[in-house]
Amino acid sequence: IPMEVDLGSGRTAKSVSIGKGFACVILDDDTLKCWGANSKGQLGVGDATNRDAPAGPVNLGSGRTAKTVVCAEYNTCVLMDDNNIKCWGSLQYSGYWKACAGCSNSGTITTPRSDALDLGSGRTAKVMGRGKVHTCAILDDDTLKCWGPNSSGELGTGSSGYYNDPGWFASTVGTINLGAVPTSVSVSPTHAQTTCAILTGGAVKCWGVNSGGQLGDGTTTLRTTPIDVDLGAGYTAKIIETSTATTCAILNDDSIKCWGSNSGGEFGIGHNLDTAGKTTVPLPAGRTAKSISMFNSGYGPCAVLDDDTVWCWGTWGSLVPTQVCITDDDCAAPSGPPGPPGNDGSPGAAGA
């Protein structure tokens, strides 16, 4: 059952990100608060103590505020108002590996460092995507860089070389060859390391793990470099999300298509059998999608529709899109006067 979170007197939320057992929110004053699990210092408040209520604000540095926050398994990353990125939590996946020479894999960063991540000489970030252990950013020069483990080609370099620091990636690899300017990037939040990017004009390229066919090329072959995704004649992507073995996109007509594994009912078509090709999710009549979020296969996606209602599907509760009752009124039965009786004399339906 949805529960209200106390963000502080007079404060409201602009965006929220959920990691493994914890969450962070950017407030209406562009400050950041986090709560939940904190074993690696991922809440950014200077310790490793779990919190059952929002803690903070997180100190991002003098005068710095948050534009985007992404939470992973044991890390939090923030794209700040100066277009630099800071990450904290598990040192191993923080992006500060080179900056912390001699640190151990088990090290933690419990509060944001004073220095931002090294994205390359003079470079800043426009868009950021974070997975369980790897991160990607579209930079101010419209190039894409990724860093972290690369055992499955999720960094898109054409090899499995490990680049745990964005500066290391920049100086060694340079950029990922997409053949066009990227506008957004989605990184799988699970062990199945898959990365997808939307390019200018709405074309999609994906790479990395393909165990469920989530790269959309009709195979389950791992890819270490970006490949084209065919969305169908006339279709382009506006938003894309990828999870353990499934990818879903909001298309230019505001419909949702999903591909890959349907083992958790991610396609919303009433069963959890895999189907070939890309499947259109059956949204309520007349409704279209504004945003979509995915976490892990088996939990299924959730989408905000054009009327600002939230609908989710998957084996968590329903194999077809079902409205989430955020407030008592959202899913209340009609309460107006009854309609006229039926032809057989039966009572009329409840009024709206």
Side-chain angles (χ1 to χ4, degrees), residues 181-202:
V181 173
T183 59
S184 69
V185 61
S186 175
V187 182
S188 171
T190 66
H191 270 306
Q193 300 302 317
T194 303
T195 311
C196 292
I198 299 178
L199 310 181
T200 299

Side-chain angles (χ1 to χ4, degrees), residues 12 18 39 58 61 148 167 182 220-221 228 263 273 293 349:
T12 56
I18 298 174
S39 61
V58 177
T220 55
T221 303
D228 294 321
S263 62
L273 302 177
S293 180

Side-chain angles (χ1 to χ4, degrees), residues 12 25 28 34 77 83 89 94 99 115-116 126 143-144 161 165 182 209 212 231 244 271 274 317 322 333 341 347 352:
T12 56
V25 60
D28 58 303
C34 301
C77 291
N83 297 319
S94 67
D115 55 325
K126 296 164 62 175
T143 59
L144 179 68
D165 180 293
V209 170
L231 298 174
T244 303
H271 62 75
D274 287 341
T322 302

Side-chain angles (χ1 to χ4, degrees), residues 63-151:
R64 296 279 68 86
T65 57
K67 292 172 62 177
T68 304
V69 59
V70 286
C71 299
E73 184 174 41
Y74 296 117
N75 289 91
T76 302
C77 291
V78 168
L79 175 61
M80 300 181 295
D81 63 304
D82 64 352
N83 297 319
N84 282 304
I85 295 174
K86 289 186 177 183
C87 299
W88 55 91
S90 170
L91 171 65
Q92 185 176 9
Y93 305 123
S94 67
Y96 286 105
W97 187 247
K98 287 284 189 179
C100 191
C103 295
S104 70
N105 281 347
S106 60
T108 60
I109 302 172
T110 62
T111 190
R113 289 170 55 107
S114 60
D115 55 325
L117 289 179
D118 175 15
L119 300 175
S121 179
R123 297 275 68 91
T124 57
K126 296 164 62 175
V127 177
M128 174 180 60
R130 169 79 193 200
K132 182 173 183 177
V133 291
H134 80 288
T135 308
C136 294
I138 299 173
L139 304 187
D140 59 305
D141 61 354
D142 293 322
T143 59
L144 179 68
K145 289 184 171 69
C146 297
W147 58 95
N150 192 31
S151 59

Side-chain angles (χ1 to χ4, degrees), residues 134-138 144-147 150 152-159 169 176-178 182 184-188 192-199 204-210 214-217 221-229 240 242 247:
H134 80 288
T135 308
C136 294
I138 299 173
L144 179 68
K145 289 184 171 69
C146 297
W147 58 95
N150 192 31
S152 300
E154 58 266 36
L155 302 189
T157 63
S159 71
F169 183 95
I176 297 170
N177 182 16
L178 295 171
S184 69
V185 61
S186 175
V187 182
S188 171
Q193 300 302 317
T194 303
T195 311
C196 292
I198 299 178
L199 310 181
V204 171
K205 291 195 175 187
C206 295
W207 58 96
V209 170
N210 196 24
Q214 64 264 41
L215 298 188
D217 64 346
T221 303
L222 179 149
R223 307 291 183 179
T224 61
T225 56
I227 59 169
D228 294 321
V229 178
I240 194 162
T242 184
T247 302

